[in-house]
């Protein structure tokens, strides 16, 4: 068991290190990408409507959370395939490679949170201990949701390479179906209902409440949080069962 | 030698599904979209019925022509493939050397690769730290450890890989043609290692085409052909069968 933890650590360490090897800006790209996206949307949007300080921070956090989801799913999706060379030679729990890929995207998110903290010096936010707990719960739920989706997709990807392209489109769709730069209230009612069905909407809304408007957190938010956590957990459990069942044969399909 | 086998293979059968190359047009695809989930193809049976018991302390040679299913058999032993039918029982820690330098990364330094590869092979980090100097000394690559692996010659890479691999402590070693490593002097070192495994009572399974190494090391051998173990017996019998094809 302890060796598998070491293996996980080693995979995380080397993949993290290797990702930006031979690139000039290196790991700065981790924060540069979301920041660039934020700048584009901010500049465009601030010319269309009037933007307040809270909105600015909500946009920033929204983009960081969505980047976490997108990169996590895309890295998790390709994780089994990228470790084919090792999987074909050594026996170890295959979950480790998916786990390490998704955890790297969590590390990226933590880096981005440092940038968020720096931003919050200039544009203050309201955080209380309780609301911070809500934020952590939201991020943890998102983490296990990404894990579940990745476990599922990494298996499918071995057999069906179209998944990679397909997911880029699907993730784009999810980005638009989540109130990242618009507010839910701006949408017509029937569209609002569709957007509300997206679990990312609830996760993002609660994460924002937790980290930006902490004084508005109420008990009902924690009930919503628990519900969404249970949804994410069920997805993860189903994904683990699916993964375990299919992964035995996976070495034959590389 | 124990009475109880350390590895027991019973009625092992392994079938692969070989999908046909698809030349689907869009029209064909649209006429039956479900075909992506049910591709056409054929079954190919690599191992038909393998029964094998390996005892503790044995040095078993597996011989067979290319494509006879040796590697498939090893992968089943190592737990990488699941057999289609039959049962595999392994009562000990197994370290497969199906390839040297598993997980080696060209961009990482020699030092980093020692830890990466070692941990993949199941060695704890602390243990690798202890053995690091020994590994480097064995590989004779002292001057190159901080260089990225891509600047190594292929012979140097294999030497490093082998030096890490021999540190792995297991009950059973599965070796796939790794004897043909490096120059003569290094090969001699490798053979010495195999001899010491044997003396320490380790179980070794060796797949090779080289009759001399089977003759020198193995106390038993099997000959694999057409998915069956045609001959099980002394190295000489098996080498004879192998040479006759």
């Amino acid at each position: 068991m302890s060796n598998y933890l070491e293996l996980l650590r080693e995979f995380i360490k080397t993949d993290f290190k290797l990702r930006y090897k031979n690139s000039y800006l290196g790991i700065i790209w981790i924060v540069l990408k979301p920041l660039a996206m934020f700048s584009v949307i901010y500049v465009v949007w601030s010319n269309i409507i009037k933007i307040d300080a809270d909105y600015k921070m909500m946009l920033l956090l929204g983009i960081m959370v969505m980047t976490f989801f997108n990169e996590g799913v895309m890295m998790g999706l390709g994780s089994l395939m990228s470790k084919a060379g090792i999987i074909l030679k050594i026996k170890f729990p295959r979950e480790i490679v998916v786990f390490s890929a998704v955890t790297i995207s969590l590390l990226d998110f933590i880096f981005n949170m440092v940038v968020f903290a720096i931003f919050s010096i200039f544009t203050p936010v309201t955080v209380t201990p309780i609301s911070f707990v809500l934020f952590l719960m939201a991020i943890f739920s998102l983490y296990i949701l990404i894990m579940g989706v990745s476990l599922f997709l990494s298996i499918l990807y071995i057999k069906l390479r179209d998944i990679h392209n397909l997911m880029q489109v699907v993730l784009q769709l999810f980005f638009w179906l989540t109130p990242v730069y618009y507010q839910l209230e701006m949408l017509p009612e029937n569209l609002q209902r569709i957007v509300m069905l997206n679990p990312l909407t609830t996760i993002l809304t609660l994460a924002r409440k937790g980290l930006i408007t902490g004084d508005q957190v109420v008990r009902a938010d924690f009930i919503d949080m628990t519900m969404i956590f249970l949804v994410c957990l069920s997805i993860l459990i189903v994904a683990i069962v699916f993964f375990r069942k299919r992964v035995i044969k996976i070495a034959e399909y590389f | 030698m124990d009475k109880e086998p350390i590895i027991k293979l019973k009625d092992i059968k392994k079938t692969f599904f070989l999908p046909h190359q698809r030349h689907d047009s869009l029209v064909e695809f649209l006429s039956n979209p479900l075909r992506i989930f049910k591709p056409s193809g054929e079954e190919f049976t690599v191992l038909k019925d393998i029964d094998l018991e390996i005892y503790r302390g044995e040095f078993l040679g597996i011989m067979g022509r290319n494509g006879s299913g040796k590697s498939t058999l090893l992968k089943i032993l190592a737990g990488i493939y699941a057999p289609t039918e039959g049962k595999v029982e392994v009562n000990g820690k197994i370290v497969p050397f199906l390839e040297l330098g598993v997980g080696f990364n060209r961009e990482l330094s020699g030092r980093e690769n020692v830890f990466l590869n070692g941990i993949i092979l199941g060695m704890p980090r602390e243990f690798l730290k202890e053995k690091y100097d020994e590994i480097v000394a064995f590989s004779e690559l002292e001057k190159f450890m901080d260089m990225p692996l891509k600047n190594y010659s292929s012979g140097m890479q294999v030497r490093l890989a082998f030096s890490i691999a021999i540190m792995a402590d297991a009950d059973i070693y599965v070796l796939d043609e790794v004897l043909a490593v490096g120059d003569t002097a290094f090969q001699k070192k490798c053979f010495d290692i195999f001899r010491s495994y044997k003396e320490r009572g380790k179980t070794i399974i060796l797949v090779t085409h080289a009759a001399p190494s089977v003759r020198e090391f193995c106390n038993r051998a099997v000959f694999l052909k057409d998915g069956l173990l045609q001959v099980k017996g002394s190295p000489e019998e098996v080498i004879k069968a192998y040479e006759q094809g």
Side-chain angles (χ1 to χ4, degrees):
Chain A
M1 188 59 211
S2 69
N3 184 255
Y4 292 144
L5 281 179
E6 279 191 343
L7 186 60
L8 175 66
R9 217 186 86 176
E10 196 65 22
F11 279 158
I12 293 174
K13 219 176 81 185
T14 49
D15 287 345
F16 194 81
K17 214 169 6 181
L18 283 170
R19 205 163 31 142
Y20 293 106
K21 202 111 186 177
N22 299 332
S23 91
Y24 193 67
L25 289 175
I27 61 166
I28 295 175
W29 279 113
I30 294 171
V31 293
L32 212 54
K33 273 191 285 184
L35 275 179
M37 196 171 170
F38 167 75
S39 312
V40 171
I41 298 182
Y42 184 76
V43 169
V44 171
W45 209 234
S46 62
N47 279 307
I48 300 173
I49 58 164
K50 217 171 139 44
I51 284 177
D52 60 12
D54 272 357
Y55 175 84
K56 191 169 106 193
M57 295 308 274
M58 284 195 176
L59 176 65
L60 185 62
L61 185 62
I63 287 169
M64 287 172 173
V65 166
M66 291 312 279
T67 304
F68 177 29
F69 182 72
N70 288 359
E71 302 253 309
V73 169
M74 288 317 280
M75 284 200 280
L77 165 81
S79 57
L80 273 182
M81 187 57 96
S82 69
K83 291 275 185 292
I86 301 171
I87 289 173
L88 279 169
K89 304 293 173 191
I90 305 283
K91 184 188 179 186
F92 63 91
R94 310 312 193 195
E95 290 91 333
I96 292 179
V97 302
V98 184
F99 211 77
S100 92
V102 176
T103 306
I104 287 175
S105 69
L106 179 67
L107 291 180
D108 287 2
F109 180 71
I110 293 169
F111 273 99
N112 277 308
M113 279 300 101
V114 175
V115 174
F116 185 88
I118 295 168
F119 264 72
S120 71
I121 298 171
F122 306 103
T123 316
V125 292
T126 319
V127 190
T128 66
I130 297 280
S131 78
F132 192 67
V133 171
L134 186 70
F135 169 75
L136 291 182
M137 282 172 76
I139 296 309
F140 184 68
S141 303
L142 184 59
Y143 178 62
I144 62 173
L145 177 67
I146 298 171
M147 194 75 77
V149 173
S150 298
L151 283 169
F152 188 74
L153 292 176
S154 63
I155 295 276
L156 287 187
Y157 180 52
I158 307 292
K159 284 195 186 181
L160 211 61
R161 301 294 152 85
D162 314 51
I163 295 282
H164 192 269
N165 292 315
L166 184 69
M167 276 317 287
Q168 285 178 329
V169 181
V170 171
L171 287 172
Q172 192 71 34
L173 184 70
F174 269 91
F175 183 83
W176 288 86
L177 281 178
T178 313
V180 179
Y181 62 90
Y182 57 83
Q183 272 150 339
L184 201 56
E185 296 75 38
M186 294 176 179
L187 299 176
E189 208 161 302
N190 49 355
L191 208 53
Q192 271 190 34
R193 240 172 284 145
I194 297 173
V195 171
M196 283 302 287
L197 279 178
N198 175 8
L200 291 174
T201 302
T202 320
I203 290 174
L204 182 58
T205 308
L206 293 171
R208 279 168 168 168
K209 265 197 181 173
L211 209 57
I212 297 166
T213 52
D215 49 342
Q216 290 168 23
V217 170
V218 290
R219 183 184 293 258
D221 291 329
F222 280 93
I223 297 170
D224 287 351
M225 190 65 254
T226 312
M227 297 287 279
I228 209 75
F229 171 75
L230 291 176
V231 170
C232 297
L233 190 65
S234 332
I235 293 174
L236 179 66
I237 290 168
V238 173
I240 288 175
V241 172
F242 174 83
F243 187 89
R244 288 260 162 91
K245 210 176 130 202
R246 296 303 178 95
V247 82
I248 313 164
K249 295 211 73 174
I250 217 65
E252 292 165 28
Y253 290 101
F254 282 127
Chain B
M1 211 177 279
D2 282 356
K3 274 273 175 285
E4 192 61 18
I6 193 164
I7 293 179
K8 208 169 161 184
L9 298 179
K10 205 163 164 23
D11 309 325
I12 295 294
K13 187 181 168 196
K14 183 67 195 174
T15 304
F16 288 103
F17 179 73
L18 304 175
H20 288 151
Q21 199 66 37
R22 284 201 295 260
H23 297 288
D24 289 356
S25 69
L26 186 65
V27 179
E28 270 176 293
F29 169 73
L30 290 176
S31 69
N32 188 4
L34 288 176
R35 259 174 58 186
I36 41 171
F37 298 108
K38 261 207 156 114
S40 64
E42 55 195 303
E43 300 232 303
F44 180 61
T45 305
V46 180
L47 301 174
K48 283 176 189 149
D49 186 9
I50 304 286
D51 269 300
L52 185 62
E53 288 181 352
I54 303 167
Y55 294 88
R56 195 174 293 275
E58 259 193 320
F59 204 129
L60 179 85
I62 301 179
M63 297 191 88
R65 301 282 303 271
N66 285 334
S68 60
K70 301 184 303 278
S71 296
T72 305
L73 184 59
L74 287 196
K75 282 190 172 151
I76 287 176
L77 276 175
I80 292 159
Y81 288 163
T84 313
E85 277 170 38
K87 229 174 83 187
V88 186
E89 228 178 90
V90 179
N91 301 310
K93 192 175 176 231
I94 187 163
V95 170
F97 300 151
L98 304 182
E99 183 189 283
L100 284 169
V102 175
F104 264 12
N105 192 293
R106 290 165 41 79
E107 302 289 338
L108 296 175
S109 70
R111 178 190 303 271
E112 289 168 315
N113 271 305
V114 167
F115 286 94
L116 178 61
N117 179 250
I119 289 172
I120 289 173
L121 287 177
M123 295 177 240
R125 172 173 287 275
E126 278 307 308
F127 174 82
L128 284 164
K129 271 187 199 155
E130 258 168 52
K131 295 281 182 181
Y132 181 76
D133 291 333
E134 210 179 310
I135 293 170
V136 176
F138 191 89
S139 69
E140 303 166 14
L141 292 167
E142 287 88 347
K143 277 178 270 168
F144 306 97
M145 291 314 285
D146 290 315
M147 244 185 226
L149 204 69
K150 61 182 171 189
N151 297 344
Y152 283 39
S153 73
S154 51
M156 285 156 75
Q157 288 188 23
V158 173
R159 251 153 60 196
L160 182 63
F162 191 83
S163 311
I164 305 163
I166 55 166
M167 290 298 160
D169 188 44
D171 306 310
I172 308 154
Y173 296 88
V174 177
L175 313 171
D176 192 354
E177 324 231 11
V178 288
L179 283 166
V181 162
D183 53 27
T184 323
F186 195 76
Q187 262 185 31
K188 197 186 156 296
K189 267 174 143 181
C190 302
F191 285 122
D192 290 341
I193 294 285
F194 292 143
R195 252 174 236 119
S196 82
Y197 280 160
K198 205 173 161 180
E199 278 157 21
R200 274 150 57 203
K202 304 285 186 186
T203 311
I204 301 160
I205 300 160
L206 170 73
V207 165
T208 181
H209 293 288
S213 30
V214 175
R215 203 170 277 136
E216 188 179 349
F217 296 109
C218 301
N219 38 30
R220 196 159 69 98
V222 292
F223 177 55
L224 184 64
K225 194 189 172 189
D226 299 329
L228 293 168
L229 293 175
Q230 308 272 2
V231 185
K232 294 187 208 175
S234 73
E236 283 310 322
E237 286 172 71
V238 169
I239 289 168
K240 215 175 121 202
Y242 172 73
E243 277 165 359
Q244 285 166 357

